[in-house]
Amino acid sequence: MLVTPPWPLARALLFKLDPEQAHNLTLALLARWSTLFDGRLSVTDLARRPALAREVMGLHFPNPVGLAAGLDKQGEAVPAWQALGFGFVEVGTVTALPQPGNPRPRLFRLTDDTALINRMGFNNGGAAAMARRLGRLRARGLPEIPLGVNLGKSKVTPAEQAADDYRRSFEQLGELADYVVVNISSPNTPGLRDLQRVDEVARILEAIQGPNQRLSRPRPILVKLAPDLADDEAIECARAALEAGATGLILTNTTIRFDGLKSPTTGLSGGLSGRPLLTRSTELLAKVRAALGSEPVIIGVGGILDPEDARAKLMAGADLIQIYTGLIYRGPGFVRELLRGL
């Protein structure tokens, strides 16, 4: 198990830093730990209890709590996430081309709302760099838990060439992933959310399915949608994705709606995550599940801050759940707190 300092003290120190500086420092420490240790857990660990296991997408998940994309964009600390008890890890978002992301500051804490606003802009080293890193990880026989790779569109790629951009990323990373996510719902890449249309979803999935079907084991493909879509739009996009060969959906990404917050947001833009996202993301999940039935896989994410929130996602129809902002506010023990509650 990964040994961490007492969270109240660590949080007090980290929250004195700029949010992105605190994130980078924490990730650097976890990445360093990951080069030295493999993060394998005993079969007696809470995170490996058979009662928590799930069989989803033809994969074995030792428990249903996963790390959402965005925290480990480069796939630097996968063994550490495994040691913290996650049942699966999703790295990225990664783009075909390296890109620096948006200008700083681009990450903001809203502590009164237990929330974050980010406008990172898919800052990452590109698909080739990610492939090298994941290749080294796989050579170590890691991770023991399912590994997802979240793909986004390169900022410089015109919208009409988006499908080819996703395809180039998949060709480099598909074989190294256990499942792949098509992210068309981040608010921080201009025009990206415009791809949440039936015709664009079908075009992107068709481009990816070519190289996917040539793999020795075609990977499950999921599509990640925004909570800001109207219910009928989300259901139409979901149906289009499934008809094009997707296995399921991730619901939801961050929201651009800042209404009802306690914290001041004047001058801020980007995607809001954390507690304020819980109600809408869970509501949309339930409506999509009701419309599509029990067969499609749905991963629920957005606003999980305690075990009750986790249960709400599962009761709404999620097969698995993911956390992001909750980990930042609740600390490294949060995964096992959720697992105890489940």
Side-chain angles (χ1 to χ4, degrees):
M1 184 183 297
L2 178 58
V3 178
T4 58
W7 178 240
L9 174 60
R11 172 176 155 156
L13 295 174
L14 287 170
F15 275 39
K16 289 182 180 297
L17 301 176
D18 167 80
E20 187 168 354
Q21 184 182 12
H23 173 83
N24 291 340
L25 173 61
T26 303
L27 191 61
L29 293 173
L30 292 174
R32 176 58 179 163
W33 186 94
S34 295
T35 64
L36 302 174
F37 305 99
D38 57 27
R40 291 184 170 91
L41 296 179
S42 164
V43 294
T44 61
D45 192 283
L46 168 65
R48 299 295 179 264
R49 287 185 181 172
L52 291 169
R54 303 286 192 277
E55 302 296 325
V56 181
M57 302 185 290
L59 301 169
H60 176 75
F61 293 78
N63 71 65
V65 179
L67 180 74
L71 267 173
D72 193 352
K73 293 177 181 293
Q74 315 271 28
E76 298 173 276
V78 174
W81 304 125
Q82 180 171 274
L84 289 178
F86 282 103
F88 63 109
V89 172
E90 191 173 310
V91 298
T93 297
V94 61
T95 53
L97 302 173
Q99 55 188 45
N102 294 325
R104 298 186 185 189
R106 53 193 182 180
L107 182 61
F108 309 89
R109 296 188 199 95
L110 279 60
T111 53
D112 289 342
D113 298 282
T114 322
L116 299 171
I117 292 175
N118 95 81
R119 52 181 184 223
M120 304 298 287
F122 291 167
N123 53 308
N124 75 103
M130 175 73 85
R132 289 191 295 271
R133 187 170 290 113
L134 295 187
R136 292 193 294 268
L137 190 69
R138 292 301 194 186
R140 295 169 60 190
L142 296 171
E144 295 183 316
I145 55 178
L147 175 67
V149 176
N150 187 295
L151 307 181
K153 183 185 78 67
S154 304
K155 185 175 181 178
V156 299
T157 299
E160 59 271 19
Q161 297 175 22
D164 286 339
D165 192 81
Y166 283 99
R167 176 185 52 76
R168 287 196 296 273
S169 293
F170 184 91
E171 287 173 339
Q172 298 179 77
L173 292 164
E175 188 75 57
L176 296 164
D178 291 306
Y179 71 89
V180 173
V181 179
V182 174
N183 184 351
I184 52 175
S185 51
S186 169
N188 301 316
T189 295
L192 186 73
R193 287 192 168 191
D194 294 338
L195 300 177
Q196 295 180 117
R197 302 198 318 262
V198 168
D199 56 337
E200 292 291 354
V201 169
R203 186 175 296 115
I204 293 169
L205 267 293
E206 181 181 356
I208 288 176
Q209 286 294 4
N212 189 31
Q213 294 305 314
R214 291 193 289 272
L215 296 178
S216 58
R217 178 180 63 81
R219 274 25 178 199
I221 308 295
L222 304 174
V223 175
K224 190 168 187 175
L225 298 178
D228 306 314
L229 288 170
D231 296 344
D232 58 346
E233 291 175 326
I235 291 168
E236 287 178 6
C237 279
R239 284 190 171 129
L242 297 174
E243 289 171 2
T247 301
L249 308 156
I250 297 185
L251 301 173
T252 66
N253 212 318
T254 56
T255 179
I256 57 173
R257 295 174 181 165
F258 296 172
D259 48 296
L261 298 176
K262 301 173 187 175
S263 307
T265 58
T266 303
L268 297 183
S269 62
L272 174 71
S273 63
R275 176 65 74 190
L277 184 57
L278 177 67
T279 299
R280 173 54 184 163
S281 63
T282 308
E283 174 188 75
L284 185 60
L285 191 163
K287 290 183 176 180
V288 171
R289 174 60 81 197
L292 299 183
S294 60
E295 185 174 348
V297 173
I298 299 181
I299 298 178
V301 58
I304 297 175
L305 272 297
D306 57 42
E308 183 179 348
D309 300 335
R311 287 192 293 270
K313 295 286 187 191
L314 295 170
M315 290 179 65
D319 298 286
L320 304 164
I321 58 174
Q322 291 177 323
I323 58 174
Y324 179 126
T325 305
L327 187 67
I328 293 171
Y329 278 92
R330 301 293 191 236
F334 185 47
V335 180
R336 288 184 172 83
E337 177 188 345
L338 293 179
L339 295 177
R340 284 191 294 271
L342 294 176

